[in-house]
């Protein structure tokens, strides 16, 4: 009797879990219908769908921290509730409670199948609101349909073959419907692309104003090109190396075993379609317009061209809804009964001042809104860049540091160096006639004057100085130009106050002004996401802007990659790369790799293999910290090699540059990433519910 009761309990519990997972529609359809009686209620349904987007802005659960670009502070290294993505990179992924488990929403992951279920419910009931025009219903339906396809794509990225959920299931669904098996890779991608193709024509071509951030044709066509890029890439296109034995219950391969090169042509066509629409709406690479900050005016007078380039790059992400952004990460606010866009617009306990999510940090802090509507945007200094990403940036000559024969002693890149000094005459006046003035002027606004630093930080491309905070460089605030010298208990690190007089202000090092454990473990900061006005004499000055899900530069580089893979090197591929490189202030590809130039291996760009390396490094630099590096290495089957390397940084306990650089880079964290980690595990609890569901290779 006791065993019977236990069996019944397990059966009821399993059925309840199965219902939630399998998208079964409850029999109280009248209550669901009541939720869609009005436009205002339907809006809440749309907002709920968007709420399942991965939380890029929360550093504890952001997938952008996958890869080798970020490192948090060491005191949190053993805390499994911090930096979930970094825990994965340390080999801590598991089947019992998968980290960032998007399949069923475990351990910091969004419940993407629940999000898909909400899309299906929305599509089933959106016809009901009486106070909506049919055209608006159609457009909102298209958004839901596109997001349903997009969530399936995010699952494919992490799990490979997925279960396709195109509709909700009724209570009388058959066993075959309830226990659907995973579709193979080609079927999974086909479903995503077909669903996107159905949705895109019914989307607005451009969503603007308060609707900015809702998916439109500009973003959708670019995302479709990204989906096709993944399908064409070696990981998903003929991957016999990893998955020759990964088969379904019918002994059929989940992954295609032979490469289909025509998939690269589909990427090219999709990029062309997206770029054509971008042209119609004046989309393109961002360029800064406006006046520089007060503290930079002298630098603009001294070094105008390079300072303009620096601002083009430094203000790229923080400039809200600029022409380069094709789709930005947003939360749509739930309607609170005061009309759409009115009232407090509360979503999941967060007070939404605008439609877009924001970076609220000075140094990439993990911060957020409090439930009472106050902004809790203290300036934590705990998330820094790794030495690996710092070394990935090009030299001034547009070459990798190890391939530039002119790069100052790259074999001794960790030796100390001193920045140029502004030459003055005997009366203390600036002397432009001094031969040393040109070198000083070249670095004006990029590096501090007469500062000890490391050779690695000299003669690098402008993106290096725009995106990173490095010893001897600058960190820009609203009223302040901060000399970035991350030393412990530093007295040499200060910012210039409004009156131009220096005030002591340790920044980025241990025992800094705010708290002793609030420091950069690697001594390298990340400026790319930080709006200069996020600090203005107070901790509380949030600047709101959307995170880039996809932007124009990515579209150019996707097309360059696809063309090289399909046709090989060509002037058109170079032109696409050069458009990005020109904005970055470095020579074009042909110039950098010309015979007789500074390249250790001249002509590398003329071979398909060489150009592939150049394109992937260009993507790693241009899209640094935006989640691209991890997926690029997965796509090209390089992740196990690249992500099993230790993470290095500088001595974070150093009191000066000699201590910081003298002993060379230090191992900050050991990483472990294997072929098994390329596909994430489905939770054991899900396998227990559906015993015939196939687990990914390497997991129990």
């Amino acid at each position: 009797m006791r065993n019977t009761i236990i069996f019944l309990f397990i059966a009821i519990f399993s059925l309840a879990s199965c219902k939630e997972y399998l998208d079964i529609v409850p029999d109280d359809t009248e209550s669901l219908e009541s939720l869609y009686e009005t436009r205002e209620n339907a809006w809440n349904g749309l907002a709920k769908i968007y709420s399942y987007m991965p939380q890029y802005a929360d550093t504890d659960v952001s997938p952008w921290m996958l890869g080798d670009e970020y490192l948090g502070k060491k005191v949190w290294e053993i805390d499994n509730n911090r930096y979930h993505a970094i825990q994965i990179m340390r080999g801590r992924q598991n089947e019992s409670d998968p980290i960032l488990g998007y399949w069923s929403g475990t351990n910091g992951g969004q419940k993407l199948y629940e999000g898909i279920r909400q899309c299906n419910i929305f599509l089933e009931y959106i016809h009901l609101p009486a106070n909506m025009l049919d055209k608006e219903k159609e457009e909102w339906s298209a958004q839901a349909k596109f997001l349903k396809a997009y969530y399936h794509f995010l699952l494919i990225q992490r799990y490979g073959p997925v279960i396709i959920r195109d509709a909700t299931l009724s209570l009388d669904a058959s066993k075959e419907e309830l226990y659907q098996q995973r579709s193979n890779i080609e079927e999974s991608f086909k479903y995503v692309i077909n669903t996107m193709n159905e949705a895109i024509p019914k989307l607005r071509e451009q969503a603007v104003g308060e609707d900015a951030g809702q998916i439109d044709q500009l973003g959708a066509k670019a995302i479709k090109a990204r989906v096709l890029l993944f399908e064409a890439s070696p990981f998903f296109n003929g991957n016999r190396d990893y998955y020759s034995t990964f088969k379904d219950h019918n002994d059929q391969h989940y992954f295609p075993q032979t490469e289909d090169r025509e998939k690269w042509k589909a990427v090219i066509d999709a990029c062309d379609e997206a770029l054509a629409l971008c042209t119609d709406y004046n989309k393109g690479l961002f360029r800064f317009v406006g006046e520089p900050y007060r503290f930079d005016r002298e630098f603009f007078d001294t070094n105008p061209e390079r300072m303009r380039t620096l601002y083009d790059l430094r203000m790229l992400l923080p400039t809200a809804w600029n022409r380069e952004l094709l789709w930005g990460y947003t939360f749509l606010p739930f309607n609170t009964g005061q009309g759409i866009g009115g009232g407090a617009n509360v979503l999941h306990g967060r007070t939404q001042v605008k439609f877009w999510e924001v970076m609220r940090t000075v140094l990439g802090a993990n911060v957020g809104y409090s439930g009472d509507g106050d902004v809790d945007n203290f300036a934590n200094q705990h998330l820094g860049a790794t030495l690996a990403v710092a070394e990935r940036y090009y030299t001034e000559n547009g070459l990798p540091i190890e391939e530039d024969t002119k790069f100052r002693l790259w074999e001794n890149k960790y030796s100390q160096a001193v920045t140029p000094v502004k030459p003055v005459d005997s009366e203390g006046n600036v002397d432009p006639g001094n031969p040393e003035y040109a070198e000083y002027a070249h670095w004006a606004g990029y590096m501090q004057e007469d500062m000890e630093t490391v050779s690695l930080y000299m003669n690098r491309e402008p993106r290096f100085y725009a995106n990173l905070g490095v010893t001897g460089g600058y960190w820009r605030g609203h009223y302040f130009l901060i000399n970035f010298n991350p030393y412990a208990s530093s007295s040499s690190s200060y910012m210039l106050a409004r009156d131009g007089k220096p005030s002591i202000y340790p920044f980025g090092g241990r025992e800094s002004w705010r708290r002793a454990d609030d420091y950069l473990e690697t001594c390298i900061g990340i400026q790319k996401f930080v709006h200069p006005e996020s600090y203005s004499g107070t901790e509380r000055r949030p600047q709101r802007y959307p995170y880039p899900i996809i932007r124009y530069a990515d579209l150019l580089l996707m097309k360059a990659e696809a063309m090289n893979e399909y046709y090989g090197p060509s002037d058109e591929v170079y032109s696409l790369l050069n458009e990005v490189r020109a904005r970055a202030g470095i020579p074009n590809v042909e110039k950098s790799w010309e015979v007789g130039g500074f390249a250790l291996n001249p002509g590398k760009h003329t071979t398909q293999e060489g150009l592939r390396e150049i394109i992937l490094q260009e993507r790693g630099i241009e899209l640094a910290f935006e989640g691209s590096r991890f997926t690029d290495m997965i796509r090209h089957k390089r992740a196990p090699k690249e992500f099993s390397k230790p993470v290095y940084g500088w001595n974070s306990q150093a009191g000066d540059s000699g201590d910081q650089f003298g002993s060379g880079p230090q191992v900050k964290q050991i990483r472990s990433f294997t072929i098994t980690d390329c596909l994430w595990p489905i939770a054991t609890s899900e396998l227990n519910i559906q015993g015939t569901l196939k687990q990914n290779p390497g997991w129990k």
Side-chain angles (χ1 to χ4, degrees), residues 16 53 111 119 131 171 230 247 262 269 303 305 324 327 337 368 377 384 474 519 524 526 529 545 566 605 610:
M53 290 285 289
K111 296 181 178 181
C119 292
N131 59 340
L171 285 173
F230 273 76
K247 299 179 180 181
E262 291 304 311
D269 294 341
N303 190 13
E305 184 176 346
E324 184 160 343
W327 190 22
N377 64 304
Y474 291 116
Y519 64 93
I524 306 171
I526 304 170
F529 293 95
Y545 65 88
Y566 192 70
H605 64 296

Side-chain angles (χ1 to χ4, degrees), residues 184-196:
N184 65 39
I185 285 295
E186 292 187 309
E187 292 168 343
S188 299
F189 274 112
K190 183 178 180 180
Y191 170 77
V192 171
I193 293 301
N194 287 345
T195 306
M196 287 184 172

Side-chain angles (χ1 to χ4, degrees), residues 317-428:
L317 297 191
T319 302
W321 303 113
N322 64 66
R323 70 190 297 254
E324 184 160 343
L325 186 66
L326 301 182
W327 190 22
Y329 171 51
T330 67
F331 275 136
L332 299 189
F334 282 133
N335 186 278
T336 57
Q338 301 184 38
I340 294 177
N345 296 331
V346 177
L347 173 62
H348 295 321
R350 300 178 181 179
T351 298
Q352 296 299 310
V353 182
K354 295 289 186 183
F355 277 7
W356 50 89
E357 186 56 276
V358 299
M359 171 62 80
R360 297 169 293 275
T361 72
V362 170
L363 281 176
N366 177 16
V367 296
Y369 284 109
S370 60
D372 62 4
D374 292 332
V375 178
D376 184 16
N377 64 304
F378 46 81
N380 283 343
Q381 299 176 152
H382 61 71
L383 187 59
T386 64
L387 188 61
V389 70
E391 294 190 340
R392 193 167 296 133
Y393 284 85
Y394 289 137
T395 67
E396 285 187 307
N397 299 315
L399 294 165
I401 57 174
E402 68 275 10
E403 298 197 46
D404 188 340
T405 60
K406 191 182 179 184
F407 182 63
R408 185 175 299 170
L409 301 175
W410 70 264
E411 292 179 335
N412 297 312
K413 57 188 175 182
Y414 302 138
S415 62
Q416 288 186 256
V418 178
T419 61
V421 180
K422 181 194 300 183
V424 295
D425 59 23
S426 58
E427 298 179 357

Side-chain angles (χ1 to χ4, degrees), residues 260-272:
D260 180 0
R261 292 188 64 256
E262 291 304 311
K263 291 179 179 179
W264 289 110
K265 181 60 168 60
V267 181
I268 298 169
D269 294 341
C271 287
D272 284 340

Side-chain angles (χ1 to χ4, degrees), residues 236-261:
F236 295 101
N237 189 5
N239 192 352
R240 293 178 58 88
D241 295 341
Y242 289 7
Y243 303 120
S244 61
T245 61
F246 187 27
K247 299 179 180 181
D248 63 19
H249 291 287
N250 296 318
D251 202 35
Q252 299 299 306
H253 290 98
Y254 276 120
F255 278 74
Q257 298 297 288
T258 57
E259 179 188 9
D260 180 0
R261 292 188 64 256

Side-chain angles (χ1 to χ4, degrees), residues 179-224:
Y179 297 110
Q180 186 178 343
Q181 297 300 314
R182 301 170 72 177
S183 298
N184 65 39
I185 285 295
E186 292 187 309
E187 292 168 343
S188 299
F189 274 112
K190 183 178 180 180
Y191 170 77
V192 171
I193 293 301
N194 287 345
T195 306
M196 287 184 172
N197 285 339
E198 292 173 7
I200 288 173
K202 297 177 182 179
L203 293 170
R204 286 167 291 184
E205 290 190 336
Q206 184 177 32
V208 296
E210 287 194 336
D211 293 336
Q214 296 179 47
I215 188 64
D216 55 21
Q217 287 194 28
L218 283 164
K221 289 186 176 183
I223 290 293
K224 175 186 166 184

